[in-house]
Structure formats: C-alpha cells, structure tokens
Amino acid sequence: MPYATANGTRLFYTDSGTGIPVLFLHGWGTSGRVWGAQVADLAADHRVVTVDWRGCGRSDHPATGNTTATNAADILALMDRLALDRPLLVGSSLGATFALEAALGAPERVGGVVSISGPGYWPSQGMAAPLRALRAALAADRPAALADWVPQWFAPTADPALAEQTRRQILRSGVFIDELFAESNLHDPRADIGRLTVPALFIHGRLDTEVPLDVSRTLAALALYGEFHAIEQAGHMPHQEQPAAVNALIRTALARQAAGTIPTATRSS
C-alpha cells in the first residue's frame, strides 16, 4: 500500500489518473474513502490524490501534532513527496480548514481551494460549549456518542448506510484527533481570508445542521477570489450525498485553473 512520510508521520494515500492534480482532504475522523465518487469521476482526466491525514484511517495515529498547523504542513510535505505541481486542494469540513491554511501559508504552491462545508469561524463563535460536551461524551462512551452525532451530518433523505460507514471510519481512527476540537474553539479565519490570493470555491449543503450555510457564504465574500454555491438536498457531507453536483463544481474550478482564469467577483447560488 502507498505511504509517504510527512513531518515524521506515515500517511496513507491513493494516487490515480493524470493531468492537473487534485488533492482531497477528508473531515474529522474519517478517511480518504469518503471521496470514492470524486475519484471515480475525476481520475479519468486528472491526477487525483486522496490522503488519510494524521490520526485517521490507515495513516499513523501519533499522540502529538494533532493541530491545524501541523496538518497544513503535512499537506505541503506530501505535495513535495508526490511532486504535485500547484494542485487544487479540496477539503471537507475540518479538511477544508487545513486546505485553506496550507493555501494561505504557501499560495504560490497551490492552484486553488475548494472548501466543502468548512467550519470556518463557527467552532469559535457558535459551537464552543457543544464541542466541550462532545469531547466529554466521546471520552465517556465513544461508540455511543458517535451513534448519536454522526447521523446528524446527513440530510434526512440520505442513505442511512452513509452514516454507518462514517461512524465505522471514525472508530478506526485514533482518539488523539479529539484535541483538534479544543484548538478549533480559538480558530477564526475571517481576519486572514482576504490575504488568500488563489481562487476559493466554497460549497455548502443547504441542509447542513452542523455548520450554518452563512459561514461559507461569509468566507466567500471575504476572499479575494471567492465563490459560493449551496448544494440542495445535502447536509454536512454534500460530496457523498449529492456527488454529481459537487463534482460538476470541482470540474469548473479545474477548468478555470487549466485556462488560467479566476472569478472576477464573488458569486453565489
């Protein structure tokens, strides 16, 4: 199986197809497996890489380094290991935070960012107390806490199997990633997002009950080349719930990158 070492941590990745590279970053506790519908579509004409970030899936589960800054550094290190030339970084939920931070830190190395239901400033502004309660519940009975919480990530019309698959992935990941909840209580990218010099597409499930739609809309408006799109009939995981709609938007971002064009103004739908 393919592994690459980044900052002393062994990361599992998949790498398929050729063309403009796309690097997919999953959300908290899951793995690169959540991008199956995107890999199947995009690898036909692009180089598609998925990674299980540190503490998750098939990668190492270190007790330290479970921070946004370290994960962003891991992304840049993996890009070096795989010789990814200005990839489009696509992140879901907390993976979107990592993607944005990597792009802010090294914009010359990134072709663009796609944030899918990213939490943005919401953990520090609207979720502080719930996240503390969640950490306590996870520490007390992790399987039960996940069984209660994970189904809320999906819209009512989503296949129940998606929630069960997601719960199982999280149980296979390490407990050390819970530290990211404490850190997110202090995270607010609004002051920095205006420095983002690459195109940034913000996608959000309209039925997301975890992170309000307006978080992505606000960040898109603050970004220099930001664009916002809502995905109908989708909750917090639109790339799994409505993959065709999400894939079409990612393809638009890739086409612009290939053509060397960027949005002239923030647009939304």
Side-chain angles (χ1 to χ4, degrees), residues 132-184:
R132 286 194 296 271
L134 175 62
R135 288 195 72 188
L138 289 169
D141 189 338
R142 197 173 190 84
L146 292 172
D148 288 340
W149 182 38
V150 172
Q152 300 175 44
W153 297 9
F154 298 90
T157 55
D159 184 349
L162 288 175
E164 179 59 19
Q165 292 166 8
T166 302
R167 186 187 68 84
R168 290 178 180 176
Q169 286 184 56
I170 298 171
L171 286 173
R172 287 193 290 266
S173 293
V175 300
F176 303 116
I177 58 171
D178 295 3
E179 188 61 31
L180 285 158
F181 289 136
E183 183 193 59
S184 66

Short mmCIF file of all heavy atoms in Angstrom, two decimals, residues 132-184:
data_model
loop_
_atom_site.label_atom_id
_atom_site.label_comp_id
_atom_site.label_asym_id
_atom_site.label_seq_id
_atom_site.Cartn_x
_atom_site.Cartn_y
_atom_site.Cartn_z
N ARG A 132 -17.27 21.18 23.73
CA ARG A 132 -16.79 20.70 25.04
C ARG A 132 -17.63 19.51 25.50
O ARG A 132 -17.10 18.51 26.01
CB ARG A 132 -16.83 21.82 26.07
CG ARG A 132 -15.73 22.87 25.90
CD ARG A 132 -15.62 23.76 27.12
NE ARG A 132 -16.82 24.55 27.35
CZ ARG A 132 -17.02 25.76 26.82
NH1 ARG A 132 -16.09 26.30 26.03
NH2 ARG A 132 -18.13 26.43 27.06
N ALA A 133 -18.94 19.60 25.32
CA ALA A 133 -19.82 18.49 25.70
C ALA A 133 -19.53 17.27 24.84
O ALA A 133 -19.56 16.13 25.34
CB ALA A 133 -21.27 18.92 25.57
N LEU A 134 -19.26 17.48 23.56
CA LEU A 134 -18.96 16.37 22.67
C LEU A 134 -17.68 15.66 23.10
O LEU A 134 -17.63 14.41 23.12
CB LEU A 134 -18.83 16.87 21.24
CG LEU A 134 -18.40 15.83 20.20
CD1 LEU A 134 -19.42 14.71 20.11
CD2 LEU A 134 -18.19 16.50 18.84
N ARG A 135 -16.65 16.41 23.44
CA ARG A 135 -15.41 15.78 23.88
C ARG A 135 -15.64 14.93 25.12
O ARG A 135 -15.09 13.82 25.24
CB ARG A 135 -14.34 16.83 24.16
CG ARG A 135 -13.78 17.52 22.93
CD ARG A 135 -12.50 18.26 23.25
NE ARG A 135 -11.39 17.35 23.49
CZ ARG A 135 -10.20 17.73 23.93
NH1 ARG A 135 -9.98 19.01 24.22
NH2 ARG A 135 -9.23 16.87 24.10
N ALA A 136 -16.44 15.43 26.04
CA ALA A 136 -16.74 14.66 27.25
C ALA A 136 -17.50 13.38 26.90
O ALA A 136 -17.23 12.31 27.46
CB ALA A 136 -17.53 15.51 28.23
N ALA A 137 -18.46 13.49 25.99
CA ALA A 137 -19.24 12.32 25.59
C ALA A 137 -18.37 11.29 24.88
O ALA A 137 -18.51 10.08 25.11
CB ALA A 137 -20.40 12.75 24.69
N LEU A 138 -17.46 11.74 24.04
CA LEU A 138 -16.56 10.83 23.35
C LEU A 138 -15.64 10.11 24.33
O LEU A 138 -15.34 8.92 24.17
CB LEU A 138 -15.73 11.59 22.32
CG LEU A 138 -16.46 12.09 21.08
CD1 LEU A 138 -15.59 13.05 20.29
CD2 LEU A 138 -16.89 10.93 20.18
N ALA A 139 -15.18 10.84 25.34
CA ALA A 139 -14.31 10.23 26.34
C ALA A 139 -15.06 9.20 27.18
O ALA A 139 -14.49 8.17 27.58
CB ALA A 139 -13.71 11.31 27.23
N ALA A 140 -16.33 9.46 27.44
CA ALA A 140 -17.12 8.56 28.29
C ALA A 140 -17.55 7.30 27.55
O ALA A 140 -17.48 6.18 28.09
CB ALA A 140 -18.34 9.30 28.82
N ASP A 141 -18.02 7.43 26.31
CA ASP A 141 -18.50 6.28 25.54
C ASP A 141 -18.45 6.67 24.07
O ASP A 141 -19.43 7.16 23.51
CB ASP A 141 -19.93 5.90 25.95
CG ASP A 141 -20.40 4.60 25.34
OD1 ASP A 141 -19.83 4.19 24.31
OD2 ASP A 141 -21.34 4.00 25.89
N ARG A 142 -17.30 6.44 23.45
CA ARG A 142 -17.08 6.89 22.08
C ARG A 142 -18.08 6.29 21.10
O ARG A 142 -18.68 7.03 20.30
CB ARG A 142 -15.64 6.57 21.66
CG ARG A 142 -15.16 7.35 20.43
CD ARG A 142 -13.67 7.10 20.19
NE ARG A 142 -13.11 7.99 19.18
CZ ARG A 142 -12.66 9.21 19.41
NH1 ARG A 142 -12.72 9.71 20.63
NH2 ARG A 142 -12.16 9.96 18.43
N PRO A 143 -18.31 4.98 21.10
CA PRO A 143 -19.28 4.42 20.14
C PRO A 143 -20.68 5.01 20.28
O PRO A 143 -21.34 5.32 19.28
CB PRO A 143 -19.27 2.92 20.45
CG PRO A 143 -17.93 2.68 21.05
CD PRO A 143 -17.63 3.91 21.85
N ALA A 144 -21.14 5.19 21.52
CA ALA A 144 -22.48 5.74 21.73
C ALA A 144 -22.56 7.19 21.29
O ALA A 144 -23.56 7.62 20.67
CB ALA A 144 -22.88 5.60 23.20
N ALA A 145 -21.52 7.97 21.61
CA ALA A 145 -21.52 9.38 21.23
C ALA A 145 -21.56 9.53 19.71
O ALA A 145 -22.28 10.38 19.17
CB ALA A 145 -20.29 10.08 21.80
N LEU A 146 -20.80 8.70 19.01
CA LEU A 146 -20.78 8.77 17.55
C LEU A 146 -22.10 8.31 16.95
O LEU A 146 -22.56 8.86 15.94
CB LEU A 146 -19.63 7.94 17.00
CG LEU A 146 -18.23 8.46 17.32
CD1 LEU A 146 -17.18 7.44 16.89
CD2 LEU A 146 -17.98 9.80 16.65
N ALA A 147 -22.71 7.30 17.56
CA ALA A 147 -24.00 6.82 17.06
C ALA A 147 -25.07 7.90 17.16
O ALA A 147 -25.98 7.97 16.32
CB ALA A 147 -24.43 5.58 17.84
N ASP A 148 -24.97 8.76 18.17
CA ASP A 148 -25.92 9.87 18.32
C ASP A 148 -25.61 11.02 17.37
O ASP A 148 -26.53 11.66 16.84
CB ASP A 148 -25.89 10.38 19.76
CG ASP A 148 -26.54 9.43 20.74
OD1 ASP A 148 -27.32 8.57 20.31
OD2 ASP A 148 -26.24 9.53 21.95
N TRP A 149 -24.33 11.29 17.18
CA TRP A 149 -23.91 12.51 16.49
C TRP A 149 -23.83 12.36 14.97
O TRP A 149 -24.35 13.19 14.22
CB TRP A 149 -22.55 12.96 17.04
CG TRP A 149 -22.02 14.23 16.46
CD1 TRP A 149 -22.73 15.35 16.12
CD2 TRP A 149 -20.65 14.51 16.15
NE1 TRP A 149 -21.88 16.32 15.64
CE2 TRP A 149 -20.59 15.84 15.66
CE3 TRP A 149 -19.46 13.79 16.29
CZ2 TRP A 149 -19.40 16.43 15.25
CZ3 TRP A 149 -18.27 14.38 15.90
CH2 TRP A 149 -18.24 15.69 15.38
N VAL A 150 -23.18 11.31 14.50
CA VAL A 150 -22.87 11.20 13.07
C VAL A 150 -24.10 11.24 12.17
O VAL A 150 -24.06 11.87 11.10
CB VAL A 150 -22.01 9.95 12.82
CG1 VAL A 150 -21.85 9.70 11.32
CG2 VAL A 150 -20.65 10.10 13.48
N PRO A 151 -25.23 10.59 12.50
CA PRO A 151 -26.39 10.69 11.61
C PRO A 151 -26.85 12.12 11.35
O PRO A 151 -27.45 12.40 10.31
CB PRO A 151 -27.46 9.88 12.34
CG PRO A 151 -26.69 8.88 13.14
CD PRO A 151 -25.47 9.63 13.60
N GLN A 152 -26.53 13.05 12.27
CA GLN A 152 -26.92 14.44 12.08
C GLN A 152 -26.11 15.13 10.99
O GLN A 152 -26.47 16.22 10.54
CB GLN A 152 -26.74 15.20 13.40
CG GLN A 152 -27.58 14.65 14.55
CD GLN A 152 -27.28 15.35 15.86
OE1 GLN A 152 -27.16 16.58 15.91
NE2 GLN A 152 -27.14 14.58 16.92
N TRP A 153 -25.03 14.50 10.55
CA TRP A 153 -24.22 15.09 9.50
C TRP A 153 -24.93 15.05 8.14
O TRP A 153 -24.54 15.79 7.23
CB TRP A 153 -22.89 14.34 9.36
CG TRP A 153 -21.99 14.40 10.54
CD1 TRP A 153 -22.26 14.88 11.79
CD2 TRP A 153 -20.64 13.93 10.60
NE1 TRP A 153 -21.18 14.74 12.62
CE2 TRP A 153 -20.17 14.16 11.91
CE3 TRP A 153 -19.79 13.32 9.67
CZ2 TRP A 153 -18.88 13.81 12.32
CZ3 TRP A 153 -18.51 12.98 10.07
CH2 TRP A 153 -18.05 13.23 11.37
N PHE A 154 -25.92 14.19 8.00
CA PHE A 154 -26.52 13.93 6.70
C PHE A 154 -27.96 14.46 6.65
O PHE A 154 -28.66 14.52 7.67
CB PHE A 154 -26.51 12.43 6.41
CG PHE A 154 -25.12 11.86 6.32
CD1 PHE A 154 -24.49 11.36 7.45
CD2 PHE A 154 -24.44 11.84 5.12
CE1 PHE A 154 -23.20 10.84 7.39
CE2 PHE A 154 -23.15 11.32 5.03
CZ PHE A 154 -22.53 10.82 6.17
N ALA A 155 -28.39 14.80 5.45
CA ALA A 155 -29.77 15.25 5.26
C ALA A 155 -30.73 14.08 5.51
O ALA A 155 -30.34 12.91 5.40
CB ALA A 155 -29.95 15.77 3.83
N PRO A 156 -31.98 14.38 5.85
CA PRO A 156 -32.94 13.31 6.14
C PRO A 156 -33.13 12.32 5.01
O PRO A 156 -33.47 11.16 5.25
CB PRO A 156 -34.23 14.08 6.42
CG PRO A 156 -33.79 15.43 6.88
CD PRO A 156 -32.54 15.71 6.10
N THR A 157 -32.91 12.75 3.78
CA THR A 157 -33.12 11.87 2.63
C THR A 157 -31.89 11.03 2.28
O THR A 157 -31.95 10.19 1.37
CB THR A 157 -33.50 12.69 1.40
OG1 THR A 157 -32.49 13.70 1.16
CG2 THR A 157 -34.85 13.37 1.60
N ALA A 158 -30.79 11.21 2.99
CA ALA A 158 -29.56 10.48 2.67
C ALA A 158 -29.70 9.00 3.02
O ALA A 158 -30.44 8.62 3.93
CB ALA A 158 -28.38 11.09 3.42
N ASP A 159 -28.96 8.19 2.32
CA ASP A 159 -28.92 6.75 2.60
C ASP A 159 -28.38 6.54 4.02
O ASP A 159 -27.26 6.99 4.32
CB ASP A 159 -28.02 6.07 1.57
CG ASP A 159 -27.99 4.56 1.71
OD1 ASP A 159 -28.48 4.03 2.73
OD2 ASP A 159 -27.44 3.91 0.80
N PRO A 160 -29.10 5.86 4.90
CA PRO A 160 -28.61 5.62 6.27
C PRO A 160 -27.27 4.89 6.30
O PRO A 160 -26.52 5.01 7.28
CB PRO A 160 -29.72 4.77 6.89
CG PRO A 160 -30.94 5.09 6.10
CD PRO A 160 -30.46 5.33 4.71
N ALA A 161 -26.94 4.16 5.25
CA ALA A 161 -25.66 3.46 5.20
C ALA A 161 -24.48 4.42 5.24
O ALA A 161 -23.41 4.07 5.73
CB ALA A 161 -25.58 2.59 3.95
N LEU A 162 -24.67 5.65 4.74
CA LEU A 162 -23.59 6.63 4.76
C LEU A 162 -23.18 6.96 6.19
O LEU A 162 -22.00 7.04 6.51
CB LEU A 162 -24.00 7.90 4.02
CG LEU A 162 -24.08 7.80 2.50
CD1 LEU A 162 -24.63 9.11 1.93
CD2 LEU A 162 -22.72 7.50 1.90
N ALA A 163 -24.16 7.16 7.06
CA ALA A 163 -23.86 7.47 8.46
C ALA A 163 -23.17 6.30 9.14
O ALA A 163 -22.22 6.49 9.92
CB ALA A 163 -25.14 7.84 9.21
N GLU A 164 -23.60 5.09 8.85
CA GLU A 164 -22.99 3.92 9.47
C GLU A 164 -21.55 3.74 8.98
O GLU A 164 -20.65 3.44 9.77
CB GLU A 164 -23.82 2.67 9.17
CG GLU A 164 -23.24 1.39 9.73
CD GLU A 164 -23.07 1.41 11.25
OE1 GLU A 164 -23.70 2.25 11.93
OE2 GLU A 164 -22.30 0.57 11.76
N GLN A 165 -21.32 3.92 7.69
CA GLN A 165 -19.96 3.83 7.16
C GLN A 165 -19.06 4.88 7.80
O GLN A 165 -17.90 4.62 8.14
CB GLN A 165 -19.98 4.01 5.64
CG GLN A 165 -20.65 2.88 4.88
CD GLN A 165 -20.95 3.25 3.44
OE1 GLN A 165 -20.54 4.31 2.95
NE2 GLN A 165 -21.70 2.40 2.75
N THR A 166 -19.60 6.08 7.95
CA THR A 166 -18.84 7.18 8.55
C THR A 166 -18.49 6.87 10.00
O THR A 166 -17.35 7.07 10.44
CB THR A 166 -19.64 8.48 8.46
OG1 THR A 166 -19.93 8.76 7.09
CG2 THR A 166 -18.87 9.65 9.05
N ARG A 167 -19.46 6.38 10.76
CA ARG A 167 -19.22 6.04 12.16
C ARG A 167 -18.12 4.99 12.28
O ARG A 167 -17.23 5.12 13.15
CB ARG A 167 -20.51 5.53 12.80
CG ARG A 167 -20.43 5.28 14.29
CD ARG A 167 -21.71 4.63 14.80
NE ARG A 167 -21.84 3.26 14.28
CZ ARG A 167 -21.27 2.20 14.86
NH1 ARG A 167 -20.54 2.35 15.94
NH2 ARG A 167 -21.45 0.99 14.34
N ARG A 168 -18.13 4.00 11.43
CA ARG A 168 -17.11 2.95 11.49
C ARG A 168 -15.73 3.49 11.16
O ARG A 168 -14.73 3.09 11.77
CB ARG A 168 -17.49 1.81 10.53
CG ARG A 168 -18.69 0.99 10.98
CD ARG A 168 -19.03 -0.09 9.96
NE ARG A 168 -20.17 -0.88 10.39
CZ ARG A 168 -20.73 -1.83 9.65
NH1 ARG A 168 -20.25 -2.09 8.43
NH2 ARG A 168 -21.76 -2.51 10.11
N GLN A 169 -15.67 4.40 10.19
CA GLN A 169 -14.38 5.01 9.87
C GLN A 169 -13.81 5.76 11.07
O GLN A 169 -12.62 5.66 11.38
CB GLN A 169 -14.53 5.96 8.68
CG GLN A 169 -14.71 5.28 7.34
CD GLN A 169 -14.76 6.28 6.21
OE1 GLN A 169 -13.85 7.09 6.02
NE2 GLN A 169 -15.84 6.26 5.45
N ILE A 170 -14.66 6.51 11.74
CA ILE A 170 -14.19 7.30 12.89
C ILE A 170 -13.70 6.38 14.00
O ILE A 170 -12.68 6.66 14.65
CB ILE A 170 -15.30 8.24 13.39
CG1 ILE A 170 -15.69 9.23 12.29
CG2 ILE A 170 -14.84 8.99 14.64
CD1 ILE A 170 -16.91 10.06 12.62
N LEU A 171 -14.39 5.29 14.22
CA LEU A 171 -13.97 4.35 15.28
C LEU A 171 -12.62 3.72 14.96
O LEU A 171 -11.90 3.30 15.89
CB LEU A 171 -15.04 3.27 15.48
CG LEU A 171 -16.31 3.73 16.20
CD1 LEU A 171 -17.35 2.62 16.18
CD2 LEU A 171 -15.99 4.15 17.63
N ARG A 172 -12.26 3.64 13.70
CA ARG A 172 -10.96 3.08 13.32
C ARG A 172 -9.85 4.13 13.41
O ARG A 172 -8.67 3.78 13.29
CB ARG A 172 -11.02 2.50 11.91
CG ARG A 172 -11.80 1.19 11.82
CD ARG A 172 -11.56 0.49 10.48
NE ARG A 172 -12.17 1.20 9.38
CZ ARG A 172 -13.39 0.93 8.90
NH1 ARG A 172 -14.12 -0.02 9.45
NH2 ARG A 172 -13.88 1.61 7.88
N SER A 173 -10.21 5.38 13.57
CA SER A 173 -9.21 6.43 13.70
C SER A 173 -8.80 6.58 15.16
O SER A 173 -9.43 6.04 16.07
CB SER A 173 -9.75 7.75 13.15
OG SER A 173 -9.94 7.67 11.75
N GLY A 174 -7.73 7.33 15.40
CA GLY A 174 -7.21 7.48 16.75
C GLY A 174 -7.99 8.48 17.58
O GLY A 174 -8.67 9.36 17.04
N VAL A 175 -7.89 8.37 18.88
CA VAL A 175 -8.58 9.28 19.79
C VAL A 175 -7.85 10.61 19.92
O VAL A 175 -8.44 11.59 20.40
CB VAL A 175 -8.76 8.65 21.18
CG1 VAL A 175 -9.58 7.37 21.07
CG2 VAL A 175 -7.41 8.36 21.83
N PHE A 176 -6.58 10.66 19.50
CA PHE A 176 -5.80 11.88 19.69
C PHE A 176 -6.30 13.04 18.85
O PHE A 176 -6.02 14.20 19.15
CB PHE A 176 -4.32 11.60 19.40
CG PHE A 176 -3.74 10.51 20.23
CD1 PHE A 176 -3.28 9.33 19.64
CD2 PHE A 176 -3.65 10.63 21.61
CE1 PHE A 176 -2.75 8.31 20.40
CE2 PHE A 176 -3.13 9.61 22.38
CZ PHE A 176 -2.67 8.44 21.78
N ILE A 177 -7.06 12.75 17.79
CA ILE A 177 -7.58 13.83 16.95
C ILE A 177 -8.62 14.67 17.68
O ILE A 177 -8.97 15.76 17.22
CB ILE A 177 -8.18 13.28 15.64
CG1 ILE A 177 -9.30 12.28 15.93
CG2 ILE A 177 -7.10 12.67 14.76
CD1 ILE A 177 -10.08 11.86 14.69
N ASP A 178 -9.12 14.18 18.82
CA ASP A 178 -10.10 14.97 19.58
C ASP A 178 -9.50 16.30 20.03
O ASP A 178 -10.23 17.26 20.29
CB ASP A 178 -10.58 14.19 20.80
CG ASP A 178 -11.36 12.94 20.42
OD1 ASP A 178 -11.48 12.65 19.22
OD2 ASP A 178 -11.85 12.25 21.33
N GLU A 179 -8.17 16.37 20.11
CA GLU A 179 -7.52 17.61 20.51
C GLU A 179 -7.83 18.75 19.55
O GLU A 179 -7.81 19.92 19.92
CB GLU A 179 -6.01 17.39 20.60
CG GLU A 179 -5.23 18.56 21.18
CD GLU A 179 -5.65 18.89 22.61
OE1 GLU A 179 -6.05 17.96 23.34
OE2 GLU A 179 -5.57 20.07 22.99
N LEU A 180 -8.15 18.41 18.31
CA LEU A 180 -8.49 19.44 17.32
C LEU A 180 -9.74 20.22 17.72
O LEU A 180 -9.91 21.37 17.31
CB LEU A 180 -8.67 18.80 15.95
CG LEU A 180 -7.38 18.37 15.25
CD1 LEU A 180 -7.65 17.31 14.20
CD2 LEU A 180 -6.69 19.58 14.63
N PHE A 181 -10.63 19.61 18.49
CA PHE A 181 -11.82 20.32 18.93
C PHE A 181 -11.46 21.48 19.85
O PHE A 181 -12.04 22.57 19.75
CB PHE A 181 -12.78 19.37 19.67
CG PHE A 181 -13.45 18.37 18.78
CD1 PHE A 181 -13.55 17.05 19.17
CD2 PHE A 181 -13.97 18.73 17.55
CE1 PHE A 181 -14.17 16.11 18.36
CE2 PHE A 181 -14.59 17.81 16.73
CZ PHE A 181 -14.69 16.49 17.14
N ALA A 182 -10.50 21.25 20.75
CA ALA A 182 -10.08 22.33 21.65
C ALA A 182 -9.45 23.47 20.87
O ALA A 182 -9.71 24.65 21.13
CB ALA A 182 -9.11 21.77 22.69
N GLU A 183 -8.62 23.12 19.90
CA GLU A 183 -7.96 24.15 19.10
C GLU A 183 -8.96 24.94 18.27
O GLU A 183 -8.84 26.16 18.12
CB GLU A 183 -6.93 23.49 18.18
CG GLU A 183 -6.14 24.50 17.36
CD GLU A 183 -5.37 23.83 16.24
OE1 GLU A 183 -6.00 23.18 15.39
OE2 GLU A 183 -4.15 24.01 16.20
N SER A 184 -9.97 24.27 17.74
CA SER A 184 -10.93 24.95 16.87
C SER A 184 -11.74 25.99 17.62
O SER A 184 -12.31 26.90 17.00
CB SER A 184 -11.86 23.93 16.20
OG SER A 184 -12.68 23.29 17.16
#
